């Protein structure tokens, strides 16, 4: 069966070990995690996990059902119509190409967020596909370090 | 009322109506044991190994339908309990296990007898808790019991640090559970049920496929009513033995790897599978692509994740089997034409005549199948049968004349050797008026034989019938069939003296080699009303047949294997 990519949001009670329950479920049942982000939902007892995964239609269905089965899970959203963003931080060696890098960052909804003596750091937040493009484009400036933030998504 | 955390644990157990707790004390759980000493609300049975405590609580739960409770200490006490938790988890048995934990201040320091119990048990419990505030304890206990018994049942672990059990606080046991994230759906969707019933009425070759969910959901009587009313042929999984009653003409038998010919052929030829509380386990389906190839599938299950997990389902119904089947009966009552499936029933009856479940009896050597049939003839409905895992388990499932749900107790999902004896202890405590027989093998029985001492001390008269073939018989059978008879580590010729072993622990032992000796021993064991080991020498190389080789299609059964 064809593998499909899915972004799934899981609303869980914000309590200890809940992340382990979700991660353990994926590991134990052999599901993939492409990226995973977690943060509390403001003014509530809940946290939101955003998981990017892939698998056959049957596997994706099992993932959502098994996530739903976890006792602390309030809701599982399999995203269809969504706005999806990922943040990335990139560290460059010197200020030599600073204006080029700045231009590149702004093309991808970002900016230079730090310019120091030894390096500069650029940040962009964009769709995962565009983040890939950005990373391809900035490879010519010899990035020292790349930190991707994982996908967050919100249903339209 | 003010009391210690330890007392709260006891009070909660009493409030839940539990009358027997199985367990084993140790450092981190001592406060609770002190509270147990001072209370009179429940009995505590000291098993001689934590694994046995959990299996005993499990057997108690399976036999009575109530939540079983076991209590263990931290570290090794808990790790010994893991097999018991996993066993109950795989078979969806309602159970609460309380484990001691090192004091909160020591958690994470590799303290003495510290182990991450919630971490280890996460994949083999329905849910688990580490209590880190005394004020949470009453709520957690309430939730634990609720989660264990509701929806698809399962074991719940409550890990309680020692300082929490020592602390004094206010105890108010909640009267209800309020969990916004856990609301199991019991009522099936009516439109779906209607569609499923229409499919049944329109089918030519429907087949009821009954699983353990029917037993767990106390839906046996309703399922029987549905089958009888519509005259639909029925197959039972290993976990559902007893639901239909062995003499019901609609019951074809057990299906799957060691199912009988007509059951497996029925599944291969049916045009509509009506799955009630079954989960399409690989030991049932054989090769999935060949399974029920010509059938549409109705799948009734309380756990949505079971639906569509392995096979594509045409009529998914999430709900409690009893509620859904009751609704089905209501809808089917007027529309059913019982003669409609007559041709189908005739075909299946012919299959059954062609290859009935059978064995070749002998006058020279005891056949294990004969022993099981004999127990059935002697005790029938009066007995609760537990078993361990292996050939004896399959023979018991095939040849015992089960008559009611909860009469047959075995580790179907996890396949845990050593389960039968402690489970029998729990079952006997739960149902004292029944005769409890553990049908076991010479391999399995040794895995929890220390329970002789428990059963002798508490006068729990479990009859252990050891079908002794001096082999790990099921593995040996596979070696015979698929490994060119290389009997790697399966020859159990070196054995203890089972009779003396039982006697040494305060029980009774019997050595049995003939039919006459077996009849005498069984009669005596029933009369003596004491725990016993019945060491029954059976044909060494007997095989469990029919057999669907692993991964093969259900209709490709090995029906005989002549070579001994």
């Amino acid at each position: 069966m064809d593998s499909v990519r899915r972004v799934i949001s899981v609303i869980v009670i914000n309590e200890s070990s809940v992340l382990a329950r979700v991660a353990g479920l994926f590991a134990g049942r052999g599901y993939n995690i492409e990226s995973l982000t977690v943060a509390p939902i403001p003014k509530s007892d809940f946290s939101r996990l955003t998981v990017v995964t892939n698998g056959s239609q049957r596997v994706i269905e099992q993932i959502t059902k098994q996530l739903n089965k976890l006792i602390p899970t309030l809701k599982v959203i399999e995203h269809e119509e969504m706005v999806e963003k990922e943040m990335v931080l990139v560290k460059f060696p010197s200020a030599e190409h600073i204006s080029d890098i700045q231009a590149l960052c702004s093309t991808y909804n970002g900016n230079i967020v730090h310019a120091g003596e030894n390096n500069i750091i650029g940040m962009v937040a964009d769709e995962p596909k565009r983040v890939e493009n950005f990373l391809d484009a900035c490879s010519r400036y010899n990035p020292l370090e790349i930190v991707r933030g994982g996908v967050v998504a919100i249903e339209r | 009322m003010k009391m210690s955390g330890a007392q709260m644990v006891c009070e909660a157990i009493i409030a839940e109506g539990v009358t027997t707790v199985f367990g084993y004390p140790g450092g981190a759980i001592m406060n609770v044991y002190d509270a147990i000493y001072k209370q009179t609300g429940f009995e505590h049975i000291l098993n001689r190994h934590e694994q046995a405590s959990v299996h005993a609580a499990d057997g108690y739960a399976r036999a009575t339908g109530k939540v079983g409770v076991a209590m263990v200490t931290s570290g090794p006490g808990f790790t010994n309990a893991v097999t018991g938790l996993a066993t109950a988890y795989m078979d969806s048995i309602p159970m609460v296990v309380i484990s001691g934990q090192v004091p909160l201040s020591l958690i994470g320091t590799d303290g003495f007898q510290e182990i991450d119990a919630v971490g280890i048990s996460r994949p083999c419990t329905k849910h688990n808790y580490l209590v880190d505030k005394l004020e949470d304890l009453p709520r957690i206990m309430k939730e634990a019991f609720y989660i264990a018994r509701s929806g698809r049942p399962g074991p719940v672990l409550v890990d309680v640090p020692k300082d929490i059990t020592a602390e004094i606080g206010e105890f108010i046991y909640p009267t209800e559970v309020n969990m916004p994230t856990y609301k199991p759906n019991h009522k099936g969707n009516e439109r779906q049920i209607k569609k499923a019933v229409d499919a049944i009425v329109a089918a030519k070759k429907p087949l009821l496929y009954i699983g353990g969910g029917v037993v767990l959901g106390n839906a046996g009587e309703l399922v029987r009513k549905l089958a009888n009313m519509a005259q639909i042929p029925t197959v039972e999984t290993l976990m559902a033995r007893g639901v239909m009653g062995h003499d019901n003409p609609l019951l074809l038998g057990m299906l799957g790897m060691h199912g009988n010919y007509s059951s497996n052929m029925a599944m291969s030829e049916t045009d509509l599978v009506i799955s009630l509380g079954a989960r399409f386990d690989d030991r049932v389906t054989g090769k999935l692509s060949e399974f029920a190839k010509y059938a549409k599938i109705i799948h009734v299950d309380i756990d949505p994740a079971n639906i569509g997990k392995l096979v594509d389902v045409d009529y998914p119904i999430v709900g409690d089997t009893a509620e859904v089947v009751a609704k089905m009966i209501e809808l089917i009552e007027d529309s059913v034409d019982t003669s409609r499936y007559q041709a189908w029933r005739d075909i299946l009856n012919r299959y059954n005549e062609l290859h009935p479940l059978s064995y070749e009896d002998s006058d020279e050597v005891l056949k294990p199948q004969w022993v099981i049939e004999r127990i059935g003839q002697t005790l029938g409905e009066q007995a609760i049968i537990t078993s361990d895992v292996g050939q004896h388990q399959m023979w018991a499932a095939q040849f015992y004349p089960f008559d009611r749900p909860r009469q047959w107790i075995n580790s179907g999902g996890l396949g845990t050797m050593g389960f039968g004896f402690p489970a029998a202890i729990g079952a006997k405590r739960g149902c004292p008026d029944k005769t409890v027989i553990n049908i076991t093998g010479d391999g399995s029985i040794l895995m929890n034989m220390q329970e002789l001492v428990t059963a002798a001390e508490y006068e729990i008269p479990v009859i252990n019938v050891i079908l002794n073939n001096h082999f790990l018989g099921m593995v040996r059978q596979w070696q015979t069939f698929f490994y060119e008879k290389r009997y790697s580590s399966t020859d159990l010729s070196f054995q203890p003296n089972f009779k003396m072993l039982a006697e040494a622990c305060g029980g009774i032992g019997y050595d049995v080699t003939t039919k006459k000796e077996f009849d005498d021993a069984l009669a005596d064991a029933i009369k003596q009303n004491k725990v016993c080991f019945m060491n029954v020498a059976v044909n060494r190389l007997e095989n469990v047949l029919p057999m669907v080789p692993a991964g093969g299609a259900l209709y490709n059964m090995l029906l005989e294997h002549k070579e001994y």
Side-chain angles (χ1 to χ4, degrees):
Chain A
M1 254 188 275
D2 289 344
S3 186
V4 290
R5 176 181 182 276
R6 277 285 179 285
V7 182
I8 297 170
S9 286
V10 196
I11 315 297
V12 294
I13 296 176
N14 184 7
E15 62 184 13
S16 66
S17 88
V18 68
L19 178 60
R21 289 183 203 280
V22 173
L25 174 73
F26 275 78
R29 293 192 180 259
Y31 307 143
N32 294 319
I33 298 181
E34 234 173 63
S35 92
L36 171 68
T37 62
V38 195
I41 297 173
K43 293 186 193 137
S44 84
D45 301 328
F46 295 96
S47 281
R48 183 189 192 96
L49 281 83
T50 311
V51 191
V52 182
T53 183
N54 57 64
S56 66
Q57 214 37 268
R58 194 192 290 283
V59 166
I60 300 288
E61 191 184 319
Q62 270 296 304
I63 290 174
T64 57
K65 284 177 168 178
Q66 295 291 349
L67 284 169
N68 255 314
K69 251 176 89 170
L70 295 175
I71 306 286
T73 301
L74 181 70
K75 206 159 93 176
V76 179
I77 306 153
E78 197 184 329
H79 288 294
E80 284 161 15
E81 292 291 316
M82 61 182 159
V83 172
E84 185 189 352
K85 295 285 171 196
E86 182 177 4
M87 196 187 95
V88 64
L89 295 168
V90 184
K91 190 190 285 176
F92 298 95
S94 69
E96 198 181 323
H97 303 292
I98 188 158
S99 53
D100 292 355
I101 291 170
Q102 170 138 36
L104 187 61
C105 287
S106 59
T107 313
Y108 289 95
N109 285 322
N111 213 335
I112 303 273
V113 291
H114 170 82
E117 225 176 282
N118 303 319
N119 55 50
I120 59 170
I121 297 172
M123 181 276 291
V124 306
D126 212 327
E127 280 142 41
K129 272 248 165 63
R130 284 178 50 86
V131 167
E132 296 281 350
N133 294 343
F134 166 76
L135 291 175
D136 285 344
C138 67
S139 64
R140 83 181 78 142
Y141 306 113
N142 307 317
L144 294 169
E145 205 177 340
I146 298 169
V147 179
R148 295 183 70 157
V151 168
V152 290
I154 193 164
E155 195 71 4
R156 260 184 241 158
Chain B
M1 204 178 142
K2 292 251 181 213
M3 61 175 75
S4 70
Q7 281 172 292
M8 291 185 191
V9 170
C10 293
E11 287 301 321
I13 290 170
I14 295 165
E16 293 293 339
V18 176
T19 51
T20 308
V21 170
F22 302 87
Y24 206 102
I29 193 78
M30 274 184 75
N31 294 330
V32 181
Y33 271 84
D34 194 48
I36 289 175
Y37 189 85
K38 295 181 205 154
Q39 61 81 43
T40 53
F42 60 85
E43 170 200 34
H44 177 271
I45 291 188
L46 175 70
N47 297 90
R48 293 320 197 252
H49 191 294
E50 288 91 348
Q51 184 193 348
S53 296
V54 184
H55 288 328
D58 181 325
Y60 173 93
R62 292 187 204 229
T64 62
K66 296 196 277 187
V67 179
V69 178
M71 193 163 303
V72 300
T73 193
S74 66
F78 164 75
T79 53
N80 279 344
V82 170
T83 303
L85 285 168
T87 303
Y89 180 68
M90 287 291 275
D91 288 344
S92 309
I93 305 304
M95 203 160 75
V96 172
V97 175
I98 317 283
S99 55
Q101 182 55 279
V102 300
L104 283 169
S105 58
L106 278 178
I107 288 182
T109 66
D110 303 317
F112 176 65
Q113 293 194 330
E114 182 195 355
I115 198 76
D116 176 9
V118 290
I120 288 176
S121 63
R122 211 172 283 129
C124 61
T125 51
K126 184 172 170 186
H127 194 52
N128 59 19
Y129 293 92
L130 169 64
V131 183
D132 59 4
K133 282 195 289 301
L134 181 64
E135 64 190 69
D136 290 344
L137 183 58
R139 174 185 58 81
I140 286 175
M141 289 297 291
K142 182 77 189 175
E143 287 180 3
F145 277 90
Y146 175 69
I147 292 169
R149 71 163 76 90
S150 60
R152 178 181 184 178
V156 179
L157 176 84
V158 183
D159 197 35
V160 198
K162 192 171 184 181
D163 45 350
I164 299 276
T165 54
E167 200 182 330
I168 306 287
E170 184 67 23
F171 178 73
I172 301 165
Y173 199 58
T175 50
E176 53 189 59
V177 171
N178 179 22
M179 300 175 70
T181 62
Y182 177 68
K183 299 197 186 306
N185 176 21
H186 286 260
K187 252 191 145 70
N189 178 308
E190 287 211 19
R191 280 225 314 272
Q192 282 294 95
I193 298 175
K194 175 78 176 69
K195 277 197 217 159
V197 166
D198 290 345
I200 296 172
V201 173
K204 292 197 176 103
K205 300 174 171 182
L207 183 68
L208 275 168
Y209 158 46
I210 301 177
V214 172
V215 177
L216 295 165
N218 298 315
E221 215 162 293
L222 285 163
V223 168
R224 225 181 283 190
K225 190 172 170 194
L226 175 69
N228 289 337
M229 198 165 78
Q231 289 289 299
I232 302 173
T234 303
V235 292
E236 289 174 346
T237 68
L238 174 68
M239 301 312 289
R241 297 302 271 156
V243 167
M244 288 295 285
H246 75 282
D247 53 2
N248 190 319
L250 292 166
L251 177 66
L252 300 168
M254 179 171 77
L255 85 161
M257 182 173 273
H258 294 296
N260 57 329
Y261 183 78
S262 58
S263 297
N264 285 346
M265 291 310 288
M267 190 51 95
S268 304
E269 294 181 5
T270 173
D271 67 355
L272 181 70
V273 176
I274 308 154
S275 169
L276 304 175
R279 59 181 177 85
F280 298 84
D281 179 84
D282 57 279
R283 285 297 193 262
V284 159
T285 62
K287 191 177 185 180
L288 264 178
S289 57
E290 293 297 306
F291 176 79
K293 214 174 165 177
Y294 308 108
K296 296 241 187 258
I297 293 177
I298 298 169
H299 191 171
V300 181
D301 204 303
I302 190 124
D303 179 1
N306 269 348
I307 297 177
K309 181 172 67 178
L310 291 153
V311 298
D312 292 329
V313 173
D314 303 276
Y315 306 94
I317 301 170
V318 178
D320 175 70
T321 37
E323 289 193 29
V324 174
V325 172
K327 189 78 203 164
M328 281 181 161
I329 290 172
E330 210 177 283
L331 292 170
I332 222 167
E333 211 150 21
D334 306 319
S335 44
V336 73
D337 167 14
T338 54
S339 65
R340 183 173 173 85
Y341 319 126
Q342 187 60 50
W344 169 231
R345 289 194 298 271
D346 291 343
I347 294 172
L348 298 175
N349 288 338
R350 272 205 300 283
Y351 282 152
N352 205 34
E353 284 159 22
L354 195 62
H355 297 294
L357 189 65
S358 67
Y359 66 96
E360 216 171 290
D361 202 9
S362 161
D363 289 328
E364 274 110 61
V365 58
L366 271 176
K367 288 297 187 97
Q369 300 95 328
W370 179 89
V371 173
I372 287 158
E373 282 185 339
R374 196 60 165 180
I375 301 168
Q377 286 158 9
T378 312
L379 288 162
E381 200 267 342
Q382 216 290 312
I384 290 175
I385 306 294
T386 69
S387 90
D388 277 301
V389 170
Q391 287 186 311
H392 65 270
Q393 175 193 26
M394 290 299 114
W395 284 318
Q398 290 176 327
F399 288 97
Y400 196 91
F402 295 106
D403 276 315
R404 58 186 167 82
R406 303 195 182 280
Q407 192 187 1
W408 164 238
I409 292 172
N410 82 127
S411 165
L414 196 68
T416 308
M417 289 171 73
F419 170 78
F421 188 10
I425 289 175
K428 180 69 184 174
R429 229 16 172 204
C431 303
D433 55 333
K434 299 285 182 200
T435 304
V436 180
I437 311 258
N438 175 34
I439 294 175
T440 179
D442 48 315
S444 287
I445 191 64
L446 292 182
M447 286 209 187
N448 264 318
M449 67 175 185
Q450 79 288 341
E451 291 313 295
L452 272 167
V453 183
T454 312
E457 181 188 355
Y458 292 93
E459 297 177 357
I460 305 173
V462 169
I463 299 174
N464 290 281
V465 177
I466 304 167
L467 298 174
N468 190 344
N469 54 11
H470 293 76
F471 268 125
L472 290 173
M474 187 58 93
V475 183
R476 193 279 308 154
Q477 176 173 336
W478 283 52
Q479 288 169 335
T480 303
F481 288 5
F482 312 119
Y483 291 85
E484 296 168 330
K485 298 187 185 171
R486 289 185 297 276
Y487 295 139
S488 178
S489 301
T490 48
D491 190 324
L492 298 184
S493 293
F494 188 89
Q495 300 207 320
N497 182 322
F498 284 108
K499 181 171 182 289
M500 284 168 68
L501 187 59
E503 287 164 0
C505 297
I508 306 174
Y510 303 91
D511 280 320
V512 171
T513 53
T514 66
K515 291 180 175 176
K516 170 83 173 58
E517 282 171 5
F518 181 76
D519 283 340
D520 293 347
L522 185 59
D524 190 64
I526 294 166
K527 198 176 84 204
Q528 296 275 353
N529 208 29
K530 252 178 123 173
V531 63
C532 72
F533 271 7
M534 206 176 284
N535 177 30
V536 185
V538 296
N539 186 33
R540 277 205 90 186
L541 291 169
E542 194 73 17
N543 293 314
V544 181
L545 294 168
M547 178 174 188
V548 179
L554 270 193
Y555 50 77
N556 280 333
M557 282 161 273
L558 287 169
L559 291 167
E560 51 183 354
H561 188 84
K562 274 288 168 210
E563 182 195 350
Y564 284 148

